Amino acid sequence: MPKVLFVCTGNTCRSPMAAAIMRRMAEQQAVDIEVVSAGTFAAPGIPATPEAYAALLSRGVDPGEHRSALLTREMVAGADLVLTMTVKHKEFVTSIAPEATPRVLSLAEYAGEGAMDIPDPFGQDLAKYKQTAEVLDRLVRAALDRLLKEADTR
């Protein structure tokens, strides 16, 4: 079972939303995959923001019982693929785990949309979170499709 690690800053908005979306898509396709998330500067144990939960629920995605986690080198080492929300997150991950560089990409990059950053909706209204969830849905779908194609060719 491949393990995908999503990374953002605080691990209360973008990365837990992306992880929940990928879990739902994998479940719908009966794909066995482990999906986790962490933040580069996360305070451990914080739930996702109410707006992140609401944005996910509005898309029919169960947010689960998320609690933030601080990104560690061990988390990166244990992941088959690390997908970051920004290029800066990617640079941070590769700085703490240089050996993982080939497995670390921004989500947009892995989804085939180049080095586009996904803006942080933290502190903004529900509409912005819903907009972020829509972008994440598109990118996560493309990323999961690529992951499955790559797994088929191995």
Side-chain angles (χ1 to χ4, degrees):
M1 164 180 13
K3 183 175 186 177
V4 177
L5 170 62
F6 285 100
V7 176
C8 68
T9 306
N11 194 220
T12 59
C13 303
R14 294 168 290 176
S15 61
M17 290 171 68
I21 290 167
M22 183 172 274
R23 278 189 214 100
R24 178 173 184 255
M25 288 178 183
E27 181 181 297
Q28 289 174 330
Q29 297 181 42
V31 173
D32 194 16
I33 188 171
E34 183 178 356
V35 184
V36 295
S37 67
T40 57
F41 294 103
I46 307 294
T49 65
E51 296 86 358
Y53 276 103
L56 289 170
L57 289 172
S58 75
R59 301 188 72 75
V61 176
D62 178 4
E65 293 296 321
H66 174 77
R67 292 291 179 264
S68 60
L70 180 62
L71 181 71
T72 66
R73 182 183 176 99
E74 293 75 24
M75 287 177 175
V76 175
D80 297 298
L81 178 63
V82 180
L83 298 174
T84 67
M85 297 300 119
T86 69
V87 172
K88 290 284 187 199
H89 293 132
K90 176 182 168 182
E91 291 169 0
F92 181 87
V93 173
T94 58
S95 76
I96 66 166
E99 69 285 351
T101 298
R103 298 179 283 118
V104 181
L105 297 108
S106 74
L107 173 58
E109 198 175 28
Y110 189 74
E113 294 198 19
M116 173 186 87
D117 286 347
I118 300 162
D120 191 352
F122 187 78
Q124 298 185 48
D125 64 12
L126 180 57
K128 186 63 175 175
Y129 276 82
K130 285 182 175 182
Q131 181 183 28
T132 300
E134 185 176 326
V135 169
L136 289 172
D137 190 87
R138 183 184 80 246
L139 295 175
V140 167
R141 185 173 311 281
L144 183 58
D145 287 347
R146 177 176 172 181
L147 182 64
L148 295 176
K149 284 178 186 157
E150 289 176 353
D152 284 344
T153 61
R154 288 186 188 158

Tab-separated table of all heavy atoms in Angstrom, residues 10-62:
chain	number	residue	atom	x	y	z
A	10	GLY	N	0.469	24.977	8.657
A	10	GLY	CA	-0.072	24.711	9.987
A	10	GLY	C	-0.800	23.395	10.140
A	10	GLY	O	-1.159	23.003	11.249
A	11	ASN	N	-1.062	22.727	9.025
A	11	ASN	CA	-1.755	21.431	9.013
A	11	ASN	C	-3.164	21.532	9.590
A	11	ASN	O	-3.648	20.619	10.237
A	11	ASN	CB	-0.920	20.362	9.723
A	11	ASN	CG	-1.396	18.942	9.467
A	11	ASN	OD1	-1.397	18.119	10.373
A	11	ASN	ND2	-1.796	18.636	8.263
A	12	THR	N	-3.818	22.681	9.322
A	12	THR	CA	-5.216	22.834	9.757
A	12	THR	C	-6.139	23.194	8.594
A	12	THR	O	-7.350	23.288	8.798
A	12	THR	CB	-5.352	23.912	10.851
A	12	THR	OG1	-4.878	25.162	10.336
A	12	THR	CG2	-4.615	23.523	12.116
A	13	CYS	N	-5.581	23.416	7.407
A	13	CYS	CA	-6.414	23.811	6.257
A	13	CYS	C	-6.112	22.947	5.028
A	13	CYS	O	-6.769	21.934	4.803
A	13	CYS	CB	-6.196	25.283	5.893
A	13	CYS	SG	-6.510	26.450	7.219
A	14	ARG	N	-5.112	23.350	4.255
A	14	ARG	CA	-4.879	22.746	2.945
A	14	ARG	C	-4.507	21.274	2.985
A	14	ARG	O	-5.125	20.452	2.291
A	14	ARG	CB	-3.800	23.522	2.183
A	14	ARG	CG	-4.213	24.922	1.818
A	14	ARG	CD	-3.056	25.754	1.338
A	14	ARG	NE	-2.147	26.041	2.448
A	14	ARG	CZ	-1.005	26.682	2.347
A	14	ARG	NH1	-0.609	27.110	1.152
A	14	ARG	NH2	-0.255	26.917	3.398
A	15	SER	N	-3.489	20.903	3.760
A	15	SER	CA	-3.053	19.499	3.711
A	15	SER	C	-4.086	18.533	4.293
A	15	SER	O	-4.308	17.467	3.714
A	15	SER	CB	-1.667	19.309	4.342
A	15	SER	OG	-1.641	19.676	5.698
A	16	PRO	N	-4.783	18.863	5.396
A	16	PRO	CA	-5.814	17.922	5.833
A	16	PRO	C	-6.990	17.844	4.860
A	16	PRO	O	-7.601	16.786	4.700
A	16	PRO	CB	-6.261	18.441	7.202
A	16	PRO	CG	-5.693	19.796	7.348
A	16	PRO	CD	-4.557	19.934	6.378
A	17	MET	N	-7.284	18.966	4.171
A	17	MET	CA	-8.343	18.936	3.165
A	17	MET	C	-7.927	18.035	2.001
A	17	MET	O	-8.715	17.180	1.553
A	17	MET	CB	-8.655	20.353	2.673
A	17	MET	CG	-9.338	21.220	3.709
A	17	MET	SD	-9.464	22.973	3.225
A	17	MET	CE	-10.622	22.879	1.877
A	18	ALA	N	-6.703	18.199	1.525
A	18	ALA	CA	-6.213	17.366	0.418
A	18	ALA	C	-6.205	15.891	0.811
A	18	ALA	O	-6.602	15.027	0.019
A	18	ALA	CB	-4.814	17.818	0.003
A	19	ALA	N	-5.771	15.608	2.033
A	19	ALA	CA	-5.727	14.214	2.500
A	19	ALA	C	-7.123	13.604	2.558
A	19	ALA	O	-7.347	12.471	2.107
A	19	ALA	CB	-5.047	14.145	3.869
A	20	ALA	N	-8.087	14.353	3.082
A	20	ALA	CA	-9.460	13.846	3.171
A	20	ALA	C	-10.040	13.616	1.778
A	20	ALA	O	-10.724	12.609	1.538
A	20	ALA	CB	-10.332	14.820	3.964
A	21	ILE	N	-9.749	14.513	0.859
A	21	ILE	CA	-10.240	14.369	-0.519
A	21	ILE	C	-9.631	13.130	-1.164
A	21	ILE	O	-10.330	12.336	-1.803
A	21	ILE	CB	-9.957	15.649	-1.332
A	21	ILE	CG1	-10.845	16.797	-0.829
A	21	ILE	CG2	-10.152	15.405	-2.825
A	21	ILE	CD1	-10.441	18.173	-1.337
A	22	MET	N	-8.319	12.922	-0.988
A	22	MET	CA	-7.692	11.744	-1.589
A	22	MET	C	-8.225	10.453	-0.961
A	22	MET	O	-8.462	9.471	-1.664
A	22	MET	CB	-6.170	11.782	-1.497
A	22	MET	CG	-5.529	10.571	-2.192
A	22	MET	SD	-3.737	10.629	-2.345
A	22	MET	CE	-3.574	11.558	-3.888
A	23	ARG	N	-8.434	10.445	0.355
A	23	ARG	CA	-8.987	9.252	1.008
A	23	ARG	C	-10.349	8.905	0.409
A	23	ARG	O	-10.634	7.748	0.140
A	23	ARG	CB	-9.126	9.473	2.512
A	23	ARG	CG	-7.864	9.259	3.275
A	23	ARG	CD	-8.110	9.267	4.796
A	23	ARG	NE	-6.965	9.853	5.423
A	23	ARG	CZ	-6.864	11.108	5.853
A	23	ARG	NH1	-7.894	11.928	5.803
A	23	ARG	NH2	-5.747	11.543	6.390
A	24	ARG	N	-11.181	9.910	0.230
A	24	ARG	CA	-12.522	9.676	-0.333
A	24	ARG	C	-12.422	9.139	-1.751
A	24	ARG	O	-13.104	8.183	-2.114
A	24	ARG	CB	-13.344	10.951	-0.318
A	24	ARG	CG	-14.724	10.738	-0.942
A	24	ARG	CD	-15.585	11.959	-0.775
A	24	ARG	NE	-16.913	11.736	-1.275
A	24	ARG	CZ	-17.366	12.239	-2.425
A	24	ARG	NH1	-16.586	12.968	-3.174
A	24	ARG	NH2	-18.604	11.996	-2.804
A	25	MET	N	-11.573	9.750	-2.578
A	25	MET	CA	-11.425	9.300	-3.963
A	25	MET	C	-10.887	7.869	-4.021
A	25	MET	O	-11.347	7.063	-4.836
A	25	MET	CB	-10.508	10.247	-4.736
A	25	MET	CG	-11.125	11.575	-5.028
A	25	MET	SD	-9.949	12.651	-5.896
A	25	MET	CE	-10.915	14.152	-6.033
A	26	ALA	N	-9.919	7.577	-3.174
A	26	ALA	CA	-9.354	6.224	-3.139
A	26	ALA	C	-10.411	5.209	-2.709
A	26	ALA	O	-10.511	4.116	-3.278
A	26	ALA	CB	-8.149	6.177	-2.211
A	27	GLU	N	-11.208	5.585	-1.723
A	27	GLU	CA	-12.277	4.698	-1.258
A	27	GLU	C	-13.290	4.453	-2.371
A	27	GLU	O	-13.713	3.320	-2.590
A	27	GLU	CB	-12.966	5.334	-0.046
A	27	GLU	CG	-14.083	4.498	0.541
A	27	GLU	CD	-14.733	5.216	1.711
A	27	GLU	OE1	-14.033	5.462	2.711
A	27	GLU	OE2	-15.934	5.544	1.598
A	28	GLN	N	-13.658	5.489	-3.093
A	28	GLN	CA	-14.621	5.360	-4.192
A	28	GLN	C	-14.099	4.449	-5.305
A	28	GLN	O	-14.876	3.782	-5.972
A	28	GLN	CB	-14.962	6.734	-4.777
A	28	GLN	CG	-15.801	7.592	-3.869
A	28	GLN	CD	-16.004	8.990	-4.418
A	28	GLN	OE1	-15.170	9.534	-5.131
A	28	GLN	NE2	-17.133	9.598	-4.065
A	29	GLN	N	-12.780	4.437	-5.481
A	29	GLN	CA	-12.170	3.607	-6.525
A	29	GLN	C	-11.664	2.277	-5.981
A	29	GLN	O	-11.010	1.530	-6.704
A	29	GLN	CB	-11.019	4.372	-7.188
A	29	GLN	CG	-11.458	5.622	-7.907
A	29	GLN	CD	-10.297	6.335	-8.580
A	29	GLN	OE1	-9.431	5.716	-9.185
A	29	GLN	NE2	-10.278	7.655	-8.469
A	30	ALA	N	-11.926	2.010	-4.701
A	30	ALA	CA	-11.469	0.786	-4.038
A	30	ALA	C	-9.946	0.617	-4.154
A	30	ALA	O	-9.439	-0.460	-4.440
A	30	ALA	CB	-12.198	-0.439	-4.583
A	31	VAL	N	-9.245	1.725	-3.921
A	31	VAL	CA	-7.784	1.736	-3.974
A	31	VAL	C	-7.252	1.711	-2.543
A	31	VAL	O	-7.687	2.506	-1.704
A	31	VAL	CB	-7.269	3.002	-4.699
A	31	VAL	CG1	-5.764	3.104	-4.618
A	31	VAL	CG2	-7.748	3.017	-6.137
A	32	ASP	N	-6.318	0.809	-2.285
A	32	ASP	CA	-5.717	0.689	-0.962
A	32	ASP	C	-4.518	1.623	-0.877
A	32	ASP	O	-3.485	1.374	-1.509
A	32	ASP	CB	-5.301	-0.762	-0.722
A	32	ASP	CG	-4.986	-1.046	0.729
A	32	ASP	OD1	-5.369	-0.238	1.598
A	32	ASP	OD2	-4.346	-2.084	0.996
A	33	ILE	N	-4.686	2.717	-0.148
A	33	ILE	CA	-3.635	3.731	-0.039
A	33	ILE	C	-3.705	4.350	1.353
A	33	ILE	O	-4.779	4.494	1.919
A	33	ILE	CB	-3.831	4.801	-1.140
A	33	ILE	CG1	-2.664	5.773	-1.199
A	33	ILE	CG2	-5.124	5.531	-0.966
A	33	ILE	CD1	-2.722	6.685	-2.411
A	34	GLU	N	-2.550	4.678	1.894
A	34	GLU	CA	-2.505	5.377	3.180
A	34	GLU	C	-2.223	6.848	2.897
A	34	GLU	O	-1.296	7.178	2.155
A	34	GLU	CB	-1.417	4.799	4.075
A	34	GLU	CG	-1.379	5.433	5.447
A	34	GLU	CD	-0.323	4.847	6.372
A	34	GLU	OE1	0.358	3.879	5.987
A	34	GLU	OE2	-0.168	5.381	7.477
A	35	VAL	N	-3.029	7.719	3.487
A	35	VAL	CA	-2.893	9.156	3.255
A	35	VAL	C	-2.798	9.861	4.596
A	35	VAL	O	-3.653	9.676	5.461
A	35	VAL	CB	-4.096	9.706	2.455
A	35	VAL	CG1	-3.887	11.174	2.134
A	35	VAL	CG2	-4.322	8.902	1.178
A	36	VAL	N	-1.749	10.653	4.768
A	36	VAL	CA	-1.535	11.409	5.999
A	36	VAL	C	-1.168	12.844	5.635
A	36	VAL	O	-0.894	13.150	4.475
A	36	VAL	CB	-0.437	10.765	6.885
A	36	VAL	CG1	-0.868	9.395	7.376
A	36	VAL	CG2	0.878	10.673	6.134
A	37	SER	N	-1.138	13.714	6.643
A	37	SER	CA	-0.754	15.100	6.405
A	37	SER	C	0.014	15.632	7.606
A	37	SER	O	-0.107	15.110	8.715
A	37	SER	CB	-1.978	15.971	6.121
A	37	SER	OG	-2.799	16.085	7.262
A	38	ALA	N	0.788	16.685	7.342
A	38	ALA	CA	1.571	17.328	8.393
A	38	ALA	C	1.867	18.762	7.967
A	38	ALA	O	1.686	19.127	6.812
A	38	ALA	CB	2.874	16.572	8.636
A	39	GLY	N	2.351	19.557	8.922
A	39	GLY	CA	2.672	20.948	8.646
A	39	GLY	C	4.104	21.284	8.999
A	39	GLY	O	4.647	20.764	9.981
A	40	THR	N	4.688	22.175	8.217
A	40	THR	CA	6.078	22.564	8.439
A	40	THR	C	6.253	23.335	9.744
A	40	THR	O	7.320	23.297	10.349
A	40	THR	CB	6.601	23.413	7.261
A	40	THR	OG1	5.753	24.557	7.096
A	40	THR	CG2	6.647	22.602	5.977
A	41	PHE	N	5.208	24.042	10.173
A	41	PHE	CA	5.249	24.809	11.420
A	41	PHE	C	3.970	24.581	12.229
A	41	PHE	O	3.415	25.521	12.810
A	41	PHE	CB	5.457	26.304	11.136
A	41	PHE	CG	6.795	26.600	10.530
A	41	PHE	CD1	6.904	26.856	9.169
A	41	PHE	CD2	7.948	26.581	11.292
A	41	PHE	CE1	8.151	27.105	8.590
A	41	PHE	CE2	9.193	26.824	10.728
A	41	PHE	CZ	9.296	27.084	9.371
A	42	ALA	N	3.525	23.335	12.272
A	42	ALA	CA	2.265	23.001	12.940
A	42	ALA	C	2.442	22.878	14.444
A	42	ALA	O	3.443	22.360	14.922
A	42	ALA	CB	1.718	21.689	12.388
A	43	ALA	N	1.450	23.348	15.171
A	43	ALA	CA	1.348	23.076	16.602
A	43	ALA	C	0.579	21.758	16.710
A	43	ALA	O	-0.571	21.686	16.286
A	43	ALA	CB	0.602	24.194	17.306
A	44	PRO	N	1.190	20.703	17.227
A	44	PRO	CA	0.537	19.389	17.244
A	44	PRO	C	-0.783	19.368	18.026
A	44	PRO	O	-0.940	20.047	19.037
A	44	PRO	CB	1.580	18.495	17.921
A	44	PRO	CG	2.885	19.178	17.679
A	44	PRO	CD	2.562	20.648	17.724
A	45	GLY	N	-1.743	18.594	17.483
A	45	GLY	CA	-2.996	18.331	18.173
A	45	GLY	C	-4.140	19.289	17.913
A	45	GLY	O	-5.196	19.176	18.526
A	46	ILE	N	-3.970	20.219	16.982
A	46	ILE	CA	-5.011	21.204	16.684
A	46	ILE	C	-5.956	20.624	15.618
A	46	ILE	O	-5.501	20.089	14.614
A	46	ILE	CB	-4.392	22.518	16.145
A	46	ILE	CG1	-3.310	23.051	17.090
A	46	ILE	CG2	-5.471	23.555	15.861
A	46	ILE	CD1	-3.793	23.495	18.427
A	47	PRO	N	-7.273	20.758	15.816
A	47	PRO	CA	-8.188	20.278	14.774
A	47	PRO	C	-8.126	21.175	13.538
A	47	PRO	O	-7.655	22.314	13.610
A	47	PRO	CB	-9.568	20.352	15.433
A	47	PRO	CG	-9.425	21.308	16.551
A	47	PRO	CD	-7.988	21.302	16.976
A	48	ALA	N	-8.609	20.647	12.424
A	48	ALA	CA	-8.735	21.481	11.223
A	48	ALA	C	-9.689	22.627	11.535
A	48	ALA	O	-10.540	22.529	12.425
A	48	ALA	CB	-9.254	20.645	10.059
A	49	THR	N	-9.557	23.704	10.810
A	49	THR	CA	-10.424	24.862	11.047
A	49	THR	C	-11.881	24.491	10.751
A	49	THR	O	-12.147	23.625	9.910
A	49	THR	CB	-10.022	26.052	10.156
A	49	THR	OG1	-10.236	25.697	8.792
A	49	THR	CG2	-8.578	26.472	10.396
A	50	PRO	N	-12.820	25.154	11.429
A	50	PRO	CA	-14.235	24.894	11.139
A	50	PRO	C	-14.570	25.109	9.663
A	50	PRO	O	-15.377	24.389	9.087
A	50	PRO	CB	-14.974	25.890	12.033
A	50	PRO	CG	-14.014	26.203	13.139
A	50	PRO	CD	-12.644	26.113	12.527
A	51	GLU	N	-13.931	26.099	9.057
A	51	GLU	CA	-14.178	26.377	7.637
A	51	GLU	C	-13.677	25.244	6.742
A	51	GLU	O	-14.315	24.916	5.732
A	51	GLU	CB	-13.518	27.699	7.221
A	51	GLU	CG	-14.075	28.915	7.909
A	51	GLU	CD	-13.434	29.208	9.274
A	51	GLU	OE1	-12.557	28.433	9.732
A	51	GLU	OE2	-13.821	30.219	9.891
A	52	ALA	N	-12.539	24.629	7.122
A	52	ALA	CA	-12.033	23.486	6.343
A	52	ALA	C	-13.020	22.325	6.433
A	52	ALA	O	-13.335	21.689	5.418
A	52	ALA	CB	-10.653	23.066	6.858
A	53	TYR	N	-13.523	22.054	7.634
A	53	TYR	CA	-14.527	20.999	7.806
A	53	TYR	C	-15.765	21.301	6.962
A	53	TYR	O	-16.273	20.435	6.244
A	53	TYR	CB	-14.934	20.869	9.275
A	53	TYR	CG	-14.013	20.015	10.097
A	53	TYR	CD1	-13.091	20.594	10.955
A	53	TYR	CD2	-14.071	18.628	10.036
A	53	TYR	CE1	-12.239	19.812	11.720
A	53	TYR	CE2	-13.229	17.835	10.797
A	53	TYR	CZ	-12.310	18.430	11.640
A	53	TYR	OH	-11.470	17.657	12.390
A	54	ALA	N	-16.263	22.538	7.045
A	54	ALA	CA	-17.478	22.914	6.318
A	54	ALA	C	-17.271	22.813	4.807
A	54	ALA	O	-18.157	22.340	4.088
A	54	ALA	CB	-17.910	24.327	6.713
A	55	ALA	N	-16.108	23.246	4.320
A	55	ALA	CA	-15.826	23.180	2.882
A	55	ALA	C	-15.800	21.731	2.405
A	55	ALA	O	-16.314	21.417	1.329
A	55	ALA	CB	-14.505	23.880	2.569
A	56	LEU	N	-15.204	20.850	3.212
A	56	LEU	CA	-15.173	19.432	2.844
A	56	LEU	C	-16.576	18.838	2.853
A	56	LEU	O	-16.973	18.138	1.913
A	56	LEU	CB	-14.256	18.648	3.791
A	56	LEU	CG	-12.762	18.905	3.627
A	56	LEU	CD1	-11.983	18.260	4.762
A	56	LEU	CD2	-12.259	18.404	2.277
A	57	LEU	N	-17.326	19.109	3.910
A	57	LEU	CA	-18.686	18.571	4.012
A	57	LEU	C	-19.557	19.054	2.856
A	57	LEU	O	-20.391	18.295	2.349
A	57	LEU	CB	-19.309	18.939	5.355
A	57	LEU	CG	-18.717	18.222	6.565
A	57	LEU	CD1	-19.264	18.813	7.866
A	57	LEU	CD2	-18.981	16.714	6.508
A	58	SER	N	-19.347	20.283	2.403
A	58	SER	CA	-20.143	20.813	1.281
A	58	SER	C	-19.858	20.060	-0.014
A	58	SER	O	-20.653	20.101	-0.942
A	58	SER	CB	-19.880	22.312	1.100
A	58	SER	OG	-18.624	22.544	0.498
A	59	ARG	N	-18.714	19.370	-0.072
A	59	ARG	CA	-18.344	18.577	-1.242
A	59	ARG	C	-18.631	17.086	-1.021
A	59	ARG	O	-18.232	16.248	-1.819
A	59	ARG	CB	-16.872	18.774	-1.568
A	59	ARG	CG	-16.506	20.226	-1.849
A	59	ARG	CD	-15.098	20.373	-2.346
A	59	ARG	NE	-14.957	19.895	-3.705
A	59	ARG	CZ	-15.372	20.531	-4.795
A	59	ARG	NH1	-15.972	21.690	-4.692
A	59	ARG	NH2	-15.181	20.032	-5.993
A	60	GLY	N	-19.254	16.768	0.115
A	60	GLY	CA	-19.564	15.372	0.394
A	60	GLY	C	-18.381	14.569	0.890
A	60	GLY	O	-18.367	13.345	0.803
A	61	VAL	N	-17.370	15.262	1.423
A	61	VAL	CA	-16.161	14.603	1.919
A	61	VAL	C	-16.182	14.602	3.436
A	61	VAL	O	-16.335	15.660	4.063
A	61	VAL	CB	-14.879	15.316	1.410
A	61	VAL	CG1	-13.630	14.688	2.003
A	61	VAL	CG2	-14.830	15.296	-0.113
A	62	ASP	N	-16.014	13.433	4.033
A	62	ASP	CA	-15.945	13.315	5.490
A	62	ASP	C	-14.559	13.766	5.948
A	62	ASP	O	-13.562	13.141	5.582
A	62	ASP	CB	-16.193	11.865	5.909
A	62	ASP	CG	-16.091	11.652	7.409
A	62	ASP	OD1	-15.899	12.631	8.151
A	62	ASP	OD2	-16.198	10.488	7.828
